[in-house]
Amino acid sequence: MSTNISPITFFKKTTTPVNVQPTVVNLSELMVYLKTTETCQLNCEHCFTNGVNGKKVFFDPDKTIDWFHRLHKAAPNIKQGNIAFHGGEPFLAPVADMKHVWQSCKDLWPNVWWSTTTNLVYKLDDDKLSFMKDAFTNGIATSWDRNIRFANEKQERLWAENVRTLVREGFDVTVMVSLSKSVVEQEPIELLDFIADLGVRYLHLERITPNGNAISNPHIFPSNVELDQWFLKMWDQTVEHKTYERLENLFFNSILSSFVHTTHSGCRCRSCEQKIFTLNATGTIGGCPNSAVDNTFGTIDDDIVSLLTSPGRMENIACESTRNPLCYTCEVFDICNGDCHQLSWQGDICASPKTLMKHLKQERNIELYSKVLNGFMGQE
């Protein structure tokens, strides 16, 4: 004797609940600029975060922790990366809040290290120094800029004193120098000697982009031709004086690694927007920190998958992957890779150190390049 069972009744009786697994996204590398505030006690003319004019707000530690944990749930397999306390000046925020976030998130991804970029123009008290020792075991970055950073000699002396303190305490310090017109009017060896004499290990050179305060100060921009000539002169003086024995120039390392290891590192990777997230202190989120104040694609409250697939982020990625058509016929494109997409062209002149790259390509002194690299591979 048969029994008629409706399809709905049959479905209810014969199916078991399915545990829906959370979406896991394919994100293998991570770079987060974690801004504790939007403002600063300095007002550098080139600052992309607007200096003292940045919003007077602090980040929300609890929301930040929640965001990182939700990101970890969605992307548990991140293989390498860096989370950097940033700003404005990050140490204007309470150190206790920074420490709380670090302690709550530091073990999420074993190969993601923590750091900070700080102006060091403040009293380096025991509270700050203790936190730095605990959290920033791989190093600290700070900036020095000629004529556009410090309001007076007292500020610059305080900065230099704090740099030397960090060096004595065993930190690997990177000094970042923005290449203003004032800098490229200086002989490169003078800059190299000045930074090396501080006792720091790394120098990083940054080209200024038209964001934040820089928009109101066009006089600080060197021309692309001036930059190009200065880079070649710096290389010649680096080799002549063997400054690479005292100081590692990360800008040069990123270029030389393309010859020795065929990598495109730093800003020339053309994949920054795929791995970078700038968490503004206001709660908005953007990509590259240079443009993240105005060019945002989500908020810290957004669902992670929705954030990663947001139209704004997709547009950033697409823009970065698109080169000027002139790049494809350039004789150093294999080394340059189109350079950083944030940099401005001046007519048909790019901001890349093209003459230097041509020189290095003609010389192709791999033995020297490897010596200068000192183990740097371009995948750090």
Side-chain angles (χ1 to χ4, degrees), residues 29-34 68 78-85 102 105-117 132 134-141 171-174 176 202 250 376 379-380:
E29 192 171 355
L30 179 67
M31 177 67 230
V32 176
Y33 292 92
L34 175 52
F68 276 115
I78 291 173
K79 297 177 181 178
Q80 62 180 351
N82 172 231
I83 299 169
F85 286 104
W102 171 71
C105 303
K106 64 184 177 68
D107 296 322
L108 291 175
W109 300 279
N111 294 323
V112 172
W113 55 283
W114 290 68
S115 66
T116 189
T117 298
M132 289 177 176
D134 288 341
F136 311 137
T137 55
N138 282 32
I140 287 178
F171 287 94
D172 282 338
V173 178
T174 298
M176 308 168 76
Y202 301 111
L250 297 179
F376 180 90
Q379 297 174 327
E380 288 78 358

Side-chain angles (χ1 to χ4, degrees), residues 87-99:
E89 169 47 49
F91 279 89
L92 290 179
V95 173
D97 288 347
M98 298 168 68
K99 189 172 185 178

Side-chain angles (χ1 to χ4, degrees), residues 267-327:
C267 296
R268 291 184 301 112
C269 68
R270 284 280 175 159
S271 60
C272 294
E273 296 289 354
Q274 298 177 39
K275 60 192 175 189
I276 288 181
F277 299 88
T278 297
L279 272 59
N280 293 317
T282 57
T284 58
I285 297 178
C288 173
N290 289 39
S291 57
V293 172
D294 300 313
N295 183 20
T296 62
F297 53 73
T299 76
I300 202 168
D301 297 314
D302 290 344
D303 169 75
I304 295 296
V305 174
S306 299
L307 179 73
L308 296 182
T309 58
S310 67
R313 182 168 182 263
M314 295 300 101
E315 182 178 354
N316 287 352
I317 292 172
C319 287
E320 183 180 29
S321 65
T322 304
R323 278 87 165 168
N324 186 310
L326 293 175
C327 289

Side-chain angles (χ1 to χ4, degrees), residues 203-247:
L203 165 68
H204 187 53
L205 305 174
E206 296 189 314
R207 289 157 292 180
I208 301 171
T209 60
N211 303 100
N213 280 357
I215 297 174
S216 303
N217 295 292
H219 63 278
I220 68 173
F221 286 86
S223 70
N224 287 348
V225 170
E226 290 171 328
L227 273 175
D228 184 59
Q229 295 171 344
W230 190 82
F231 280 128
L232 180 61
K233 183 186 290 188
M234 173 173 264
W235 171 255
D236 288 340
Q237 294 181 0
T238 294
V239 175
E240 178 186 355
H241 297 276
K242 296 184 178 180
T243 59
Y244 53 83
E245 295 179 350
R246 297 192 294 151
L247 181 69

Side-chain angles (χ1 to χ4, degrees), residues 89 91 95 116 118 120 122 124-140 166 171:
E89 169 47 49
F91 279 89
V95 173
T116 189
T118 171
L120 289 178
Y122 48 79
L124 191 55
D125 57 34
D126 291 341
D127 194 28
K128 293 182 179 70
L129 189 57
S130 176
F131 173 59
M132 289 177 176
K133 288 181 178 180
D134 288 341
F136 311 137
T137 55
N138 282 32
I140 287 178
L166 292 177
F171 287 94

